[in-house]
Amino acid sequence: GHDPGVCCAYHAAEVLWLLGYPDQALCRSEDSLSLARGLSHPSTMSFALSFAAWFHQYRGERQAVQALVDEGVTLATEQGFSGRRGQAPFLRGWLLVEDGHEQAGIAEMSKILATDRTRGWSGRWTAHYVTLLADAYRKSGQTIAGLRVVTEELDRVHISGARSYHAAVHRVKGELLLTQDAPDEQEAEACFQNALKISRSQSAKSLELRAAMSMSRLWQRQGKKAEAQRLLAEIYGWFTEGFDTADLKAAKALLDELV
């Protein structure tokens, strides 16, 4: 088992991040990890390190993810927590992709996703796995493979009902459609509209911001700078914190281009 206080603090962090409060979310994530470090309970510590690593992945903080994954793998190996090491190898794969080793990273991520599906696992973790794997395929130029995994996930959503990262799956599908030899801008725009609609219905401001950036970039390349600026400015202006995070920095840079 694991300490419920550690678990609840992490889930509060995840929810706050989704709702668009990155700084408050970071405080809750740090509370979770700090509480775990104060306990003499390796099982709780293993969970806490995994939770914290994923939280920093949401924020795009590669170095923090690396440090937490390394610590978590060491602890899990020492304690024999093989079942809890599944998320660490997936994040190791993501880190490889971020470092430019796309094929090695994709192989690691694909293996973990396949294992989870064999076990019948589904839910927000699997959906997030898919978005990261599909984006890795996009970065490596493997558009068809990326579209295959997102299409499979969208089909599974109707069965599992797990919609926490439903908007993100639609957004990544749209990005993949734009990397085809013959980019399908019309279908990509429909995907981004779906992502915006879903994220807004969930009040998932962080996912809405990412969807708005994708749509704004598409409109920018189509010459619709005014529409792109208006869309992105509205969601960016909603935020009151987290301006040092990767997403908000990217949004500000894009807004400056659209002026």
Side-chain angles (χ1 to χ4, degrees), residues 100-258:
H101 306 291
E102 287 94 350
Q103 295 311 313
I106 286 171
E108 187 85 350
M109 296 159 81
S110 298
K111 181 173 66 177
I112 300 303
L113 180 60
T115 299
D116 279 7
R117 285 178 170 169
T118 299
R119 292 170 176 168
W121 293 355
S122 63
R124 73 185 192 283
W125 290 114
T126 303
H128 194 47
Y129 282 8
V130 166
T131 62
L132 297 181
L133 176 58
D135 197 50
Y137 279 127
R138 180 186 63 81
K139 291 176 179 177
S140 66
Q142 300 179 67
T143 304
I144 294 175
L147 286 170
R148 185 188 70 249
V149 296
V150 294
T151 300
E152 290 172 351
E153 182 59 27
L154 288 171
D155 289 341
R156 285 186 174 86
V157 165
H158 296 295
I159 299 171
S160 69
R163 301 180 184 274
S164 298
Y165 291 92
H166 195 193
V169 180
H170 280 284
R171 180 185 61 80
V172 173
K173 182 180 179 181
E175 296 285 3
L176 284 160
L177 289 166
L178 293 175
T179 63
Q180 297 178 117
D181 292 337
D184 190 339
E185 294 187 356
Q186 183 176 357
E187 184 61 26
E189 182 167 344
C191 289
F192 298 150
Q193 291 287 12
N194 281 334
L196 287 167
K197 179 181 178 180
I198 294 165
S199 58
R200 287 166 177 166
S201 72
Q202 297 174 331
S203 298
K205 295 295 185 179
S206 289
L207 300 184
E208 182 183 348
L209 177 67
R210 291 180 178 178
M213 283 194 283
S214 292
M215 182 69 89
S216 294
R217 291 189 188 102
L218 174 59
W219 283 348
Q220 181 184 35
R221 68 191 265 180
Q222 293 175 336
K224 298 188 288 189
K225 290 182 66 175
E227 294 93 328
Q229 195 276 340
R230 187 161 50 249
L231 173 69
L232 188 54
E234 181 179 355
I235 179 61
Y236 182 82
W238 179 92
F239 282 83
T240 58
E241 61 183 60
F243 296 105
D244 61 341
T245 59
D247 283 344
L248 284 162
K249 285 181 178 179
K252 180 61 167 63
L254 181 54
L255 277 171
D256 290 344
E257 290 179 20
L258 295 169

Side-chain angles (χ1 to χ4, degrees), residues 78-113:
E78 291 172 351
Q79 298 293 329
F81 295 151
S82 58
R84 294 181 189 139
R85 294 179 63 192
Q87 292 171 7
F90 192 94
L91 283 173
R92 282 208 305 265
W94 176 77
L95 289 164
L96 284 168
V97 172
E98 291 298 297
D99 287 338
H101 306 291
E102 287 94 350
Q103 295 311 313
I106 286 171
E108 187 85 350
M109 296 159 81
S110 298
K111 181 173 66 177
I112 300 303
L113 180 60

